[in-house]
Amino acid sequence: MTPKIKNKKAQRKILMESIMVFFVAISPFLYKLYEYIPGATGDSVSFLGITITSHGFADVSTFIWFMMGKIVPLYLLIFWFLTVKNWWYHIILIPIAMYAFQIFEVLYNYDNDIDTENLLWLLPICIIIIPFVYFLRIKLYDKYVLGIDLEAIEAELDELKAKGYSSEKTDLSSEFKDVANQKEISDKNISTGTLENFLKNIQDRIQGWLHLKF
């Protein structure tokens, strides 16, 4: 990679980080945006050439107040998801989806009820993400706290089999098998690696689109 390309990537990274810092800094002011728009006490108002309606709320001011209470946490969570390095960062997708569904419901649902059906929309995501994070936590706890590395155990057993040891001559491997059987709930028919790589690819692709690399 040439120095010129490195400089361009560094410039883009600094620019995107500066934009993120800017939006984090102004988040309290965005939340109070409804107080700064003149004439927002009616059913509609034009602001910066954009016509904003009340969407069923008492007035435009109430609508903007409600929306800012969803949009501000949403983009802050997205920034967090893109920059966090902890193993549990996948769980941030749940509140991100929650706020996104709430905004979608307000904008595209024409009845007078809000925050009603989005929990049902969120269930499929919770069903995928929560067990995945739980089993990932078990895997890390086994490996770094209890010192049990199932992958290393399986690799050692495969190595013994490859050397041609019979089952009678590999009694030592029974200890490894006992450990594996005790932990089979975290290993049997559950492959966290595939989902982990999928979610990691999502984070990496978004960072790539925004020219971020943390």
Side-chain angles (χ1 to χ4, degrees), residues 10-199:
Q11 290 175 1
R12 290 174 180 173
K13 181 174 180 290
I14 293 174
L15 175 61
M16 295 306 304
E17 289 178 345
S18 300
I19 293 174
M20 292 171 62
V21 169
F22 172 75
F23 275 100
V24 172
I26 67 171
S27 57
F29 303 98
L30 287 179
Y31 182 74
K32 291 289 185 177
L33 183 64
Y34 66 95
E35 295 182 354
Y36 309 137
I37 298 179
T41 55
D43 291 334
S44 65
V45 64
S46 294
F47 181 69
L48 298 177
I50 301 174
T51 300
I52 305 174
T53 61
S54 62
H55 283 268
F57 287 84
D59 50 41
V60 175
S61 179
T62 304
F63 169 68
I64 295 175
W65 165 78
F66 180 85
M67 290 299 292
M68 288 300 103
K70 307 296 182 183
I71 293 173
V72 171
L74 175 60
Y75 77 70
L76 292 177
L77 285 166
I78 292 174
F79 290 166
W80 189 17
F81 176 77
L82 292 176
T83 57
V84 70
K85 297 180 180 179
N86 300 94
W87 61 268
W88 46 264
Y89 77 95
H90 313 87
I91 206 72
I92 304 175
L93 290 171
I94 293 178
I96 287 176
M98 179 188 71
Y99 281 112
F101 287 145
Q102 288 174 348
I103 293 172
F104 176 84
E105 183 181 10
V106 171
L107 294 179
Y108 295 99
N109 195 1
Y110 296 97
D111 57 28
N112 294 324
D113 299 324
I114 58 174
D115 288 350
T116 55
E117 300 177 357
N118 52 72
L119 183 60
L120 296 178
W121 301 341
L122 201 61
L123 280 178
I125 297 177
C126 294
I127 290 173
I128 295 173
I129 298 296
I130 293 176
F132 167 72
V133 174
Y134 174 74
F135 286 112
L136 184 61
R137 187 259 182 194
I138 290 178
K139 190 174 181 180
L140 291 173
Y141 188 87
D142 290 345
K143 184 174 182 179
Y144 295 106
V145 178
L146 300 181
I148 301 172
D149 190 346
L150 294 178
E151 293 179 359
I153 292 173
E154 289 181 356
E156 188 165 349
L157 290 174
D158 292 339
E159 184 179 354
L160 289 173
K161 291 178 181 179
K163 290 180 178 179
Y165 287 91
S166 63
S167 58
E168 291 80 12
K169 294 181 180 179
T170 56
D171 293 335
L172 292 177
S173 67
S174 61
E175 298 180 3
F176 298 117
K177 292 181 180 178
D178 291 339
V179 174
N181 289 333
Q182 292 173 3
K183 304 306 298 179
E184 69 175 342
I185 189 172
S186 63
D187 187 60
K188 183 180 180 181
N189 297 327
I190 295 173
S191 178
T192 59
T194 302
L195 184 56
E196 182 179 6
N197 291 335
F198 173 73
L199 295 173

